[in-house]
Amino acid sequence: MSADDWWKCGIVYQVYPRSFQDSNGDGIGDLDGIRARLGHLVSLGIDAVWISPIYPSPMADFGYDISDFCAIDPRFGTLDGFDALVQEAHARGIRIILDFVPNHTSDRHPWFVQSRSARSDPRRDWYIWRDPAPDGGPPNNWISNFGGPAWTFDPVTGQYYGHSFLKEQPDLNWRNPEVREAMYEVLRFWLRRGVDGFRVDVLSQIVKDAQLRDNPPNPDFVEGQDEFHRWLMLHNTDLPEVQPIVAEMRRVVDAFSDTRSSRVLIGELYLPLPRLVAYYGRNAEGVLEGVQLPFNFELIATEWQAARIRRFVRDYEAALPAGAQPNWVLGNHDKPRIASRVGPRMARLAAMLLLTLRGTPTLYYGDEIGMTDVAIPADEVQDPFEKNRPGLGLGRDPERTPMQWSADAQAGFTTGTPWLRLAADWRTNNVEAQSRDTGSMLALHRRLIALRRAQPALNRGDHEALDAGDEVLAFARNHEGQRLVVLLNFGETPAPIPPASMPHRPVVLASTDPARAEGIEGPLVLAPCEGVVIGTVDDKGPAAP
Ligand code: GLC
């Protein structure tokens, strides 16, 4: 793999730092903890770690409310500790991607403290301030992503400020060039320290309508649905003005790319396909000047059926601009875990799908051992989303529980009391136990990742849809004459595979079923929920399992 396209061939692994590994017994994961667990990431075979926010924060939204963009929260460690992490990760072949949160700051950030101090403050226009509506209410009908109005009245200066999330997360005004420059300086601060890229939080929402017009009603809204869906987010999401800003961000980051290593931008974008692919930023000359990887969340959202996914893969491949790198995600810190959503057997199939589709995969910590959502009793709830809108199933604590490392006390996560309870199964379901079991979810991940690294057809080959019946998602990955076939049975019944889809002299390079033999005698029949990667005898290099 050449250094400048590591993000095309490689695999990204998301660490939610509070929950990965605690090193000092305070019950909260930290940077030294991540450093201590690099061995796990190396043995898993991933290429880059994206770490959710580690900056000083009052933790109203667990780090997504930042009070200083250029420092480390003491709960997570120190800048020296961060530098040590980058250095050691790089020495072990792992890149570091940070979370960049451009849409808002904490209300304790000095910029906001100044901004709210007086209407005449030079930083006033760094945030979005407006007079009350004639009735004294909020300036318009925008709703916060966490529920309630996206506006809070500030009695000090008699105006409202806008916030797309909590009132503790005031929105920056990206129309102001000073804000843009200050935020690009934040990117440079971390790039100079050697980080390899950024995952950019809520990228589509950073620019708001200049006139702050009301959003129109959503014709599909059904009474009783979450109020968030009452209006179409026409005037506060995905405005055309976002695109030139994305191109500016890209130029800032590209200035640090060199032939040894390119830096990458990954955009958090929950948008329908045509609007999503616009974030690759194809300009009139066909150059892609946007983010390299606009997150594709379809596998998180879609109904888990072969036909649905087949159709989406086709549409996605067709919608990608020339030269654009696809990407796939099964889970993150905001969405229910895949093993809970589709069940443990299907989660094995999902892992194979993620790791064999054309495109950069992002793996959420814990999914490699099949961690499931953990029900959090009401009096232990931490997530502000759940606190604001209780009982609707919106809370994100269930997918943020501590990593299960071993059968030691507190699953090896902490010597103290974990900030969020552990899953009930941690004594049996953990990294150590699964490392000893060749049939485990972890073993499957290691095998698939090793295969993906060893086989150019998997890490850079093209995608060719195949037909192996309705319930089977079938495709080939081709690269310079090499052809691997992936067959995934989404059905609950055995699926005979038509010989026409099989390569010549086939062998099984990987299966979700640990008992599946390598050789194929006669017609291939997949077990229910089974997935296989088929190559030919010649593909069985030393690195193949
Ligand atoms: C993103 C983050 C989420 C956070 C929100 C506000 O959606 O992924 O965790 O709450 O932005 O920053």
Side-chain angles (χ1 to χ4, degrees):
M1 173 186 323
S2 87
D4 63 346
D5 66 359
W6 62 269
W7 53 270
K8 292 186 184 165
C9 302
I11 298 169
V12 178
Y13 181 96
Q14 182 190 355
V15 163
Y16 192 66
R18 285 183 83 79
S19 299
F20 197 59
Q21 176 67 58
D22 177 21
S23 73
N24 61 1
D26 66 358
I28 297 174
D30 48 43
L31 295 177
D32 284 352
I34 299 174
R35 190 148 66 92
R37 292 297 187 182
L38 283 175
H40 170 67
L41 302 178
V42 171
S43 73
L44 189 57
I46 57 93
D47 298 80
V49 179
W50 148 36
I51 310 174
S52 286
I54 47 177
Y55 321 106
S57 163
M59 300 286 167
D61 188 19
F62 295 110
Y64 283 96
D65 50 320
I66 298 167
S67 53
D68 182 352
F69 286 109
C70 297
I72 302 290
D73 191 282
R75 277 162 285 211
F76 292 129
T78 61
L79 260 185
D80 284 347
F82 176 76
D83 291 342
L85 173 62
V86 172
Q87 206 183 3
E88 198 170 323
H90 283 174
R92 303 184 77 165
I94 292 180
R95 322 238 173 195
I96 299 287
I97 296 172
L98 288 184
D99 217 305
F100 178 55
V101 184
N103 181 69
H104 44 265
T105 68
S106 161
D107 61 345
R108 315 262 188 89
H109 194 296
W111 296 345
F112 188 70
V113 173
Q114 288 169 34
S115 183
R116 86 188 316 176
S117 66
R119 289 194 187 200
S120 59
D121 186 88
R123 287 237 159 81
R124 186 67 170 180
D125 184 50
W126 281 41
Y127 293 83
I128 302 171
W129 291 99
R130 281 299 183 285
D131 285 334
D135 67 355
N140 67 22
N141 68 357
W142 297 355
I143 295 200
S144 146
N145 289 278
F146 288 153
W151 297 97
T152 290
F153 184 71
D154 193 40
V156 180
T157 54
Q159 284 192 312
Y160 280 85
Y161 65 88
H163 50 87
S164 304
F165 293 87
L166 299 174
K167 67 178 182 350
E168 293 85 358
Q169 294 168 295
D171 285 354
L172 282 164
N173 174 16
W174 273 78
R175 292 181 180 275
N176 182 329
E178 285 175 17
V179 168
R180 295 209 292 275
E181 192 40 43
M183 291 303 278
Y184 299 152
E185 219 18 62
V186 171
L187 293 174
R188 293 187 194 104
F189 175 87
W190 295 106
L191 288 162
R192 281 187 211 107
R193 298 195 102 86
V195 311
D196 300 284
F198 300 91
R199 173 265 189 188
V200 188
D201 194 61
V202 283
L203 181 56
S204 62
Q205 291 191 36
I206 61 175
V207 184
K208 284 54 178 195
D209 181 44
Q211 300 158 50
L212 301 181
R213 281 169 287 185
D214 273 348
N215 276 329
N218 174 4
D220 299 327
F221 181 76
V222 194
E223 222 38 73
Q225 216 184 342
D226 188 42
E227 59 158 339
F228 181 73
H229 301 291
R230 189 178 285 277
W231 315 103
L232 295 176
M233 290 175 75
L234 187 68
H235 296 306
N236 51 353
T237 298
D238 194 27
L239 267 54
E241 292 95 322
V242 182
Q243 298 298 342
I245 293 179
V246 175
E248 264 177 14
M249 269 182 207
R250 173 69 183 273
R251 283 196 290 279
V252 170
V253 170
D254 274 353
F256 286 78
S257 292
D258 54 41
T259 48
R260 275 180 304 107
S261 186
S262 55
R263 317 286 174 115
V264 67
L265 285 178
I266 307 176
E268 187 205 20
L269 298 153
Y270 287 92
L271 291 173
L273 192 47
R275 288 160 66 190
L276 175 68
V277 297
Y279 283 77
Y280 285 105
R282 190 175 185 278
N283 70 14
E285 287 79 50
V287 177
L288 302 181
E289 56 178 21
V291 296
Q292 288 101 322
L293 300 172
F295 261 146
N296 161 16
F297 293 128
E298 182 67 14
L299 294 181
I300 292 183
T302 188
E303 257 176 85
W304 201 255
Q305 290 170 359
R308 289 270 180 169
I309 297 173
R310 184 182 303 122
R311 201 174 326 131
F312 182 80
V313 173
R314 183 197 61 199
D315 295 349
Y316 186 49
E317 286 282 344
L320 289 168
Q325 169 69 8
N327 75 88
W328 298 94
V329 186
L330 282 179
N332 62 37
H333 63 297
D334 296 326
K335 300 290 171 188
R337 284 196 181 265
I338 185 72
S340 290
R341 198 158 68 83
V342 302
R345 272 193 323 154
M346 218 26 131
R348 294 174 70 90
L349 193 80
M352 182 172 278
L353 177 68
L354 176 75
L355 294 166
T356 56
L357 277 171
R358 185 174 91 88
T360 307
T362 299
L363 190 61
Y364 185 48
Y365 89 92
D367 281 354
E368 76 272 34
I369 55 168
M371 277 174 63
T372 49
D373 292 339
V374 178
I376 305 294
D379 60 345
E380 293 176 22
V381 165
Q382 305 276 344
D383 181 20
F385 201 4
E386 177 68 26
K387 287 182 178 167
N388 271 6
R389 325 256 314 128
L392 298 174
L394 299 170
R396 300 165 299 175
D397 291 332
E399 61 264 21
R400 296 176 175 180
T401 58
M403 182 69 175
Q404 297 156 214
W405 294 105
S406 68
D408 297 339
Q410 309 294 6
F413 165 68
T414 180
T415 54
T417 308
W419 74 283
L420 194 60
R421 64 161 59 200
L422 287 155
D425 68 354
W426 64 268
R427 285 184 189 79
T428 47
N429 188 26
N430 57 60
V431 170
E432 218 171 83
Q434 291 203 15
S435 293
R436 290 190 298 266
D437 174 2
T438 53
S440 69
M441 186 69 158
L442 180 58
L444 176 67
H445 275 85
R446 287 185 177 149
R447 211 173 312 130
L448 287 171
I449 292 174
L451 185 65
R452 185 185 167 96
R453 292 181 80 90
Q455 303 285 355
L458 282 183
N459 66 49
R460 72 194 66 189
D462 68 12
H463 174 95
E464 177 195 339
L466 300 176
D467 183 4
D470 265 7
E471 296 278 33
V472 177
L473 183 63
F475 54 91
R477 303 289 315 279
N478 306 293
H479 181 73
E480 294 180 354
Q482 191 205 20
R483 176 183 178 82
L484 297 186
V485 171
V486 181
L487 302 162
L488 304 159
N489 182 9
F490 280 68
E492 287 294 343
T493 52
I497 300 300
S501 341
M502 298 289 279
H504 185 52
R505 298 200 297 157
V507 290
V508 176
L509 297 179
S511 167
T512 53
D513 177 357
R516 159 79 61 188
E518 193 177 81
I520 302 172
E521 309 280 328
L524 176 66
V525 180
L526 296 185
C529 290
E530 189 191 7
V532 291
V533 182
I534 308 285
T536 73
V537 274
D538 313 323
D539 296 318
K540 278 184 58 237

